[in-house]
Amino acid sequence: MSIINNINKAFDHRIRLGIMSILMVNDYADFNMLKELLGATDGNIASHTKSLEKVEYIKVEKQFIGKKPNTRYSATKLGKQEFKKHIDALEKLIGKQ
Amino acid sequence: MDSKKYLDDISEIKNMMSKSSRFMSLSGLSGILAGVYALIGAYLAHNIIHNIKAEPSKLKRFLMTFGALDSLLIIALSVMVLALVTGTVLTYFKAKKSGEKMWDVSSKRLLLNFALPLVVGGLFCLVLIQYEYIKIVAPATLIFYGLACVNASKYTLGGVRYLGITIIAIGLISTQFIGYGLYFWALGFGVCHIIYGSLMYFKHDRS
C-alpha cells in the first residue's frame, strides 16, 4: 500500500504534528510560542523538537535577545516536503472510507 | 477506526496553522459599532458644513469656517478614539472567551501590518494638507485605510481583505467626485464597516 507508506511515523504524535503545522505557515517560531500554542510543558516541547531536529525536518537556532537565551525553530525544506506528503496521505486515507 | 485518529490529526493541523498565523478573535460587533460612530460623525460634520453653506454673509461664512475646522477635527478624532477603544475592549472579551491571548505574536503581527500603510497614509495626508491639496485628502484616507486592511488581512479573518478592496474602490471613485468626500467617507467608513461587521458577527462571533 503506497498510501500507508507516506504516513510518516515522525509526525505520529500530537505535539510533533502541532510543531510542524505551526512551522509550515510561519517563517519561524520560538520556544515560548510553541509552548503557548500547544499547551505543553517545557520538557515535552524540548524532546519533540529534538526528535524532529534529529531527522532534519526542523532547524534550531540559538541566540540571545538582550541577556535572555532564545531558541528559534524553523522548518527545513525536507521537513516541509515530508509534512506535505504526510497530510496528503492522511487526506487520501480519510477520503477512502 | 484509524480514520477517526487521522481526522483528528487533520483538524489539529488546520487548527494550529490558523491559530499560529492568524489572529482570529477580531470582533465583528466592534466593526458594526465603528461604522455607526462613523455615520454619526459624518452626520454631525454634515450639519456643521451645511450651516456654513447656508450663511448668506460672506464674512460670517469665512469666520465660521475657521471655527468649524476645530469641531470637525474633534469629531474625526472622537470617532477614531471611540472605534479603537470599542474594538480593543470587544476583541479582548472575544479573545478571552475563545481562550486566545489578545496580545500575542499573531495580534502583534496583525497590528504592525495594519499600522504601516495607515501611518504612511496619515503622514502623506498631512503633506497633502501642507501643500493645500485638501481636495484629495478624503479619497487618500479611504485608499490608505483600504490598503491597510488588505495588508493586515493575511494575518486575520479573510473578510478583512474584501472590506479593504471595497474601501480602496470607494476611495478611487471618490477622486472623481471632489467635494462629496464626506458622503464617500460615510459610505466607506460607515456603511462598509457595518456590512462587514455584521457578516463577521454572524459568521464568527455567534456561538
Side-chain angles (χ1 to χ4, degrees), chain B residues 13-91:
Chain B
I13 290 169
K14 276 192 178 153
N15 179 26
M16 272 306 140
M17 283 183 171
S18 65
K19 208 169 148 188
S20 67
S21 64
R22 284 161 186 257
F23 183 67
M24 304 305 281
S25 294
L26 271 194
S27 154
L29 202 59
S30 67
I32 302 177
L33 286 171
V36 172
Y37 301 150
L39 283 184
I40 294 172
Y43 174 75
L44 293 175
H46 177 261
N47 279 352
I48 292 175
I49 294 169
H50 186 77
N51 281 342
I52 297 176
K53 280 190 178 152
E55 174 61 46
S57 145
K58 212 174 180 179
L59 178 68
K60 266 193 184 163
R61 213 155 59 200
F62 183 71
L63 290 173
M64 278 166 90
T65 313
F66 264 104
L69 280 180
D70 282 349
S71 18
L72 289 178
L73 200 66
I74 290 170
I75 292 172
L77 283 176
S78 331
V79 167
M80 195 180 80
V81 170
L82 262 176
L84 280 176
V85 170
T86 314
T88 312
V89 170
L90 289 180
T91 298

Side-chain angles (χ1 to χ4, degrees), chain B residues 171-192:
Chain B
L172 284 176
I173 294 169
S174 78
T175 58
Q176 301 306 306
F177 298 91
I178 296 298
Y180 295 92
L182 195 58
Y183 299 104
F184 284 99
W185 260 37
L187 185 65
F189 291 124
V191 178
C192 283

Side-chain angles (χ1 to χ4, degrees), chain A residues 6-8 11 17 20-21 24 80-94, chain B residues 6 9-10 13-14 17:
Chain A
N6 280 331
I7 293 283
N8 194 328
F11 302 129
L17 200 69
M20 280 312 287
S21 311
M24 286 296 279
K80 285 190 177 178
Q81 279 170 359
E82 290 301 316
F83 196 64
K84 273 204 186 103
K85 270 192 217 159
H86 182 72
I87 298 179
D88 287 344
L90 287 183
E91 274 173 347
K92 271 190 196 132
L93 271 177
I94 292 162
Chain B
Y6 295 139
D9 279 1
I10 291 272
I13 290 169
K14 276 192 178 153
M17 283 183 171

Side-chain angles (χ1 to χ4, degrees), chain A:
Chain A
M1 280 282 287
S2 63
I3 295 172
I4 293 287
N5 287 343
N6 280 331
I7 293 283
N8 194 328
K9 277 280 169 223
F11 302 129
D12 204 13
H13 186 281
R14 196 188 74 86
I15 303 287
R16 265 171 272 163
L17 200 69
I19 294 172
M20 280 312 287
S21 311
I22 292 166
L23 295 179
M24 286 296 279
V25 289
N26 292 281
D27 293 341
Y28 60 84
D30 64 16
F31 193 87
N32 284 330
M33 183 177 164
L34 292 180
K35 210 176 99 179
E36 267 176 35
L37 282 164
L38 295 165
T41 61
D42 283 19
N44 231 330
I45 297 284
S47 72
H48 287 299
T49 49
K50 205 158 273 169
S51 65
L52 284 171
E53 190 193 359
K54 216 176 266 169
V55 288
E56 292 181 348
Y57 288 174
I58 65 173
K59 205 173 74 189
V60 183
E61 286 168 289
K62 292 194 195 252
Q63 51 174 16
F64 278 87
I65 294 182
K67 279 186 179 171
K68 271 191 195 157
N70 179 280
T71 313
R72 219 183 224 196
Y73 302 93
S74 54
T76 61
K77 210 173 169 186
L78 174 71
K80 285 190 177 178
Q81 279 170 359
E82 290 301 316
F83 196 64
K84 273 204 186 103
K85 270 192 217 159
H86 182 72
I87 298 179
D88 287 344
L90 287 183
E91 274 173 347
K92 271 190 196 132
L93 271 177
I94 292 162
K96 277 212 155 177
Q97 274 141 3

